[in-house]
Amino acid sequence: MTLAKKLLAATAIVLALGSAASAKTFVFCSEGSPEGFDPGLYTTGTTFDASAHPIYNRLAEFKKGTTETEPALAESWTVSEDGKQYTFKLRPGVKWQSNDLFTPTRDLNADDVVFSFDRQGNASNPWHQYVPGASWEYYTSMSMPQFVEKVEKVDDLTVRFTLKEPYAPFIANIAMPFASILSKEYADKLAASNQQAQLNQQPIGTGPFRFVAYQPDAVIRYQAFADYWGGKQPIDDLVFAITKDASVRQQRLLANECQLMAYPNPADIASLKTNKDLKVDEQAGLNIGYLAYNTKQAPFDKVEVRRALNMAMNKDAIISAVYQGAGEKAKSPIPPTMWSYNNALKDDPYDPEAAKKMLEAAGVKDLSLKLWAMPVSRPYNPNAARMAEMIQADFAKVGVKAEIVSYEWGEYIKRAGDVNHDGAVLLGWTGDNGDPDNFLATLLSCDSVGTSSNVAEFCNQDYEKLVQKAKTLSSQEERAKLYEQAQVVFKEQAPWATIAHSIVYVPMRSNVVGFVQSPLGDYTFDGVDLKD
C-alpha cells in the first residue's frame, strides 16, 4: 500500500470514529495491535498501553515520570519485621466499570485482589488456563511463584501476602501491569455463562477509561469512566489509531489526525523539533537492545561461538545507521542510568579476524543461522530490519551465513518464547519498575527459561546464585554489589550481543497538556488534556 493510500485509510478510520461535537477526543497514533486485554497474560508494552494503563489499576502504581511507587487501589500497606508479610488496606468505594455483559453489584474488595493473583500462581485455579497455553510469563519470570506462599483475604478491604522469604522488589513488582486487578464478580458471571474468553476481549477494570470497541490492526476506542476513583478525565473519548508505519504516524500527527505518536523515526526527530505546531519530549531510555543466542542449541551452547559472533559485529556502524544519534553502545544488560550499573565492564571489541580464529578453535565451520528481525519499531531498536541486514553482512565477513526471518509481532514473541527456537533473536527491553532485578532476573534467570522474556534460554548457576540472593536483601548497597558481579558473569558467558541503549522521543501537538513521559516507556493518558 502506498503512503497516500495508508493516509487515506487512516483518515477514514478517524472520521468513522467521529464523536459528538461536544465531546473532547484525544487520538494516540499507536504502533501496533494488543495481543489481548488481560495484562497478566502478556509481556509487551503495546499490550500494556492498550490494556493495563487505560482500563485497570494495581495495588501500587508508579508516580508519573518516575520509578517511585505510590498507593493506588491500596491506600496503604505495612510490612512485617521479617519482611515476609505485606498487608494492604484497600481504598474504599472504588467502582467497577460495566459493559453489555456485566453490571457490577459491589465495589472493589479483597476477593478481586486474591482472584487476580491466585489465577496466575495456582495451577488448580479454574482461570489458570482459561486461555489455552497461558503461561503467565511475567508472574513466572519475576520469580513470584518462588516467593509468594499465599494471598489471603483478611476482610473486605484488607489483603495479606505471605512470602516464603524476603523479596526486595515486591512492591515494585506489584506496581507492574501484570499485577493489574480484575473483577472476580465479572469472572464469575462469565464462567456461569461459559464465556470465559470475554475476560480477555471485553475487559472490565477500575481505571480511568472504559473499553468500548476494538477493530484489530485499526483502532481501539475508550471512554472516560465517569465513576473513576481518581476523578473523571478531562478528555471524553480516547482513541488508539493503530498505525504500524512510523512515517504514516508522523504524517497523521502533522495533519492533527492524532495528537501524540509513538516511536518516531530517528531521522525525523530534528524536523519534528523545529515544527511550531509540535513539541517533542525526550529522555534517556531505561532500555537495552540486544541480539540473543539460544544457548541451549548447538553451536550457540558454546560460549566461544557466542563471543566470536559478538566480535564480528561492527556496533559503531550499527549505532550510526540505525539510531542516528539517538543511541549509545551497550556493554551491560542494564542501562547506565540504573543503580548497580557496572561501568568497569569491557565491551566486546570489533575484531573480525579474532572472531574467525575463535570460531575455528571452537571447531565451527560453515555456520548458518537464522537471524530474527523484529517487525515493529521500538526505541531500543528503531529499525530491526536494517540492523539485521548490517549484522548479516558482518557475519558474512567471518564466514557465517545468516538468513533473516521475521513474523507478525504476536507470533514473533510467541515463537521466541519457545525453548527450542532456532537462531539468534533481535529483541530488547524497557524496564518495568526501576529495579535491576527486572532486567537481570526477568530476562536471564533460570525461572524465565522457556518464556519470551529469556529468549537466550540462559541458565547459569554462578549467575543465578547472585541474582537470586540479591532479591532477598533489604540493603540496596549490598544488592548492587551482587548485581555488579552478575554483570561480569553475563559478559563472560555472552548469551547476548548487547547493542544499544537509546534516547526515547515522544512527539505531540503543542496543545497537549498533562502528558508525562515515563522512564518505563509507558503511554498513559490519565490527566491528559487539549488546550483550546
Side-chain angles (χ1 to χ4, degrees):
M1 185 183 289
T2 65
L3 177 60
K5 287 182 178 179
K6 288 179 180 177
L7 286 169
L8 286 171
T11 302
I13 290 168
V14 173
L15 291 174
L17 292 169
S19 300
S22 59
K24 185 179 290 188
T25 300
F26 188 98
V27 181
F28 168 50
C29 277
S30 64
E31 84 295 348
S33 295
E35 301 148 279
F37 291 91
D38 180 348
L41 294 169
Y42 306 108
T43 63
T44 67
T46 301
T47 296
F48 294 153
D49 288 340
S51 61
H53 302 308
I55 300 168
Y56 299 103
N57 293 116
R58 290 140 294 283
L59 294 174
E61 295 183 356
F62 296 104
K63 190 176 295 184
K64 279 186 175 291
T66 78
T67 58
E68 178 185 347
T69 55
E70 63 180 359
L73 292 181
E75 60 182 8
S76 66
W77 56 84
T78 58
V79 186
S80 63
E81 286 189 12
D82 63 3
K84 294 183 181 181
Q85 283 194 337
Y86 289 73
T87 304
F88 295 87
K89 289 294 183 182
L90 302 183
R91 190 178 299 276
V94 173
K95 305 299 181 186
W96 288 102
Q97 301 155 8
S98 61
N99 61 20
D100 291 341
L101 297 173
F102 173 68
T103 299
T105 65
R106 61 167 176 80
D107 296 341
L108 168 86
N109 70 24
D111 293 326
D112 303 310
V113 179
V114 173
F115 164 74
S116 298
F117 285 93
D118 189 69
R119 71 198 183 108
Q120 298 189 55
N122 179 6
S124 63
N125 187 300
W127 286 88
H128 189 69
Q129 284 292 310
Y130 88 95
V131 171
S135 61
W136 308 102
E137 285 192 20
Y138 251 127
Y139 191 89
T140 300
S141 61
M142 299 298 291
S143 301
M144 296 290 276
Q146 176 184 335
F147 284 91
V148 177
E149 182 174 308
K150 59 182 176 180
V151 186
E152 57 187 331
K153 173 182 178 178
V154 178
D155 58 45
D156 276 353
L157 292 178
T158 310
V159 179
R160 179 174 296 129
F161 287 72
T162 300
L163 308 184
K164 299 171 186 175
E165 57 184 314
Y167 186 30
F170 182 71
I171 294 296
N173 284 2
I174 64 164
M176 290 167 53
F178 82 90
S180 295
I181 304 303
L182 279 65
S183 167
K184 183 179 187 299
E185 185 184 17
Y186 181 41
D188 289 345
K189 187 174 190 307
L190 292 175
S193 56
N194 199 29
Q195 298 183 82
Q196 288 92 328
Q198 296 304 312
L199 194 71
N200 193 33
Q201 298 169 20
Q202 298 288 329
I204 290 288
T206 59
F209 296 94
R210 57 177 292 270
F211 174 83
V212 175
Y214 170 45
Q215 181 182 344
D217 297 326
V219 68
I220 314 171
R221 291 192 64 192
Y222 310 86
Q223 288 179 346
F225 180 34
D227 292 326
Y228 176 51
W229 59 269
K232 179 182 176 301
Q233 297 303 300
I235 55 177
D236 300 295
D237 296 298
L238 175 64
V239 176
F240 278 34
I242 299 166
T243 313
K244 295 182 179 181
D245 188 299
S247 298
V248 178
R249 291 199 296 274
Q250 178 175 318
Q251 291 301 318
R252 297 192 64 200
L253 180 70
L254 293 172
N256 200 25
E257 292 174 4
C258 61
Q259 286 70 57
L260 188 145
M261 69 171 284
Y263 311 131
N265 286 319
D268 297 329
I269 298 300
S271 64
L272 290 169
K273 285 183 174 181
T274 60
N275 189 309
K276 63 180 177 57
D277 295 323
L278 305 178
K279 57 185 176 181
V280 181
D281 286 357
E282 65 179 86
Q283 63 180 216
L286 196 71
N287 61 32
I288 173 72
Y290 58 83
L291 178 69
Y293 309 106
N294 187 340
T295 59
K296 295 198 178 301
Q297 298 290 325
F300 308 114
D301 56 342
K302 294 184 177 182
V303 65
E304 298 87 355
V305 172
R306 304 193 297 264
R307 295 183 70 180
L309 293 175
N310 286 358
M311 289 194 294
M313 277 181 245
N314 186 344
K315 289 205 295 191
D316 286 328
I318 290 172
I319 299 295
S320 176
V322 175
Y323 296 86
Q324 302 189 34
E328 62 175 305
K329 282 195 297 184
K331 61 183 180 179
S332 168
I334 66 174
T337 53
M338 176 167 277
W339 62 270
S340 81
Y341 178 76
N342 189 343
N343 197 38
L345 291 179
K346 300 297 182 184
D347 198 13
D348 304 298
Y350 172 52
D351 193 338
E353 289 304 314
K356 286 182 186 178
K357 292 177 182 178
M358 191 173 285
L359 287 172
E360 290 172 4
V364 175
K365 296 180 180 179
D366 302 319
L367 175 59
S368 296
L369 59 87
K370 288 186 178 178
L371 179 58
W372 293 32
M374 296 159 47
V376 296
S377 172
R378 289 289 185 274
Y380 57 69
N381 191 337
N383 191 339
R386 177 65 178 133
M387 186 183 292
E389 290 168 356
M390 297 183 73
I391 293 173
Q392 181 186 50
D394 287 341
F395 283 176
K397 293 174 185 176
V398 300
V400 174
K401 182 179 180 181
E403 176 193 358
I404 298 173
V405 299
S406 190
Y407 309 95
E408 181 273 329
W409 184 226
E411 184 68 14
Y412 190 96
I413 293 295
K414 180 180 177 181
R415 287 178 179 238
D418 184 343
V419 71
N420 295 313
H421 74 79
D422 55 354
V425 179
L426 281 172
L427 207 57
W429 191 258
T430 297
D432 293 295
N433 63 15
D435 195 293
D437 177 79
N438 183 238
F439 284 77
L440 298 175
T442 302
L443 304 180
L444 293 157
S445 72
C446 297
D447 287 338
S448 58
V449 168
T451 74
S452 61
S453 299
N454 187 352
V455 298
E457 312 302 343
F458 182 66
C459 179
N460 175 277
Q461 291 306 314
D462 292 335
Y463 179 92
E464 188 76 5
K465 289 174 184 176
L466 293 166
V467 297
Q468 294 299 339
K469 177 65 175 177
K471 293 176 190 285
T472 67
L473 302 178
S474 58
S475 165
Q476 187 176 105
E477 181 180 358
E478 293 302 313
R479 293 182 71 206
K481 290 177 183 177
L482 295 178
Y483 289 138
E484 288 169 11
Q485 294 173 45
Q487 290 166 70
V488 172
V489 177
F490 165 88
K491 207 63 184 176
E492 291 170 349
Q493 293 298 314
W496 301 348
T498 50
I499 297 173
H501 310 292
S502 75
I503 298 171
V504 181
Y505 297 96
V506 182
M508 66 195 81
R509 301 294 298 183
S510 58
N511 66 330
V512 174
V513 295
F515 179 83
V516 180
Q517 189 175 7
S518 168
L520 307 174
D522 304 326
Y523 286 89
T524 59
F525 299 99
D526 53 307
V528 172
D529 199 359
L530 296 169
K531 292 189 298 186
D532 293 334

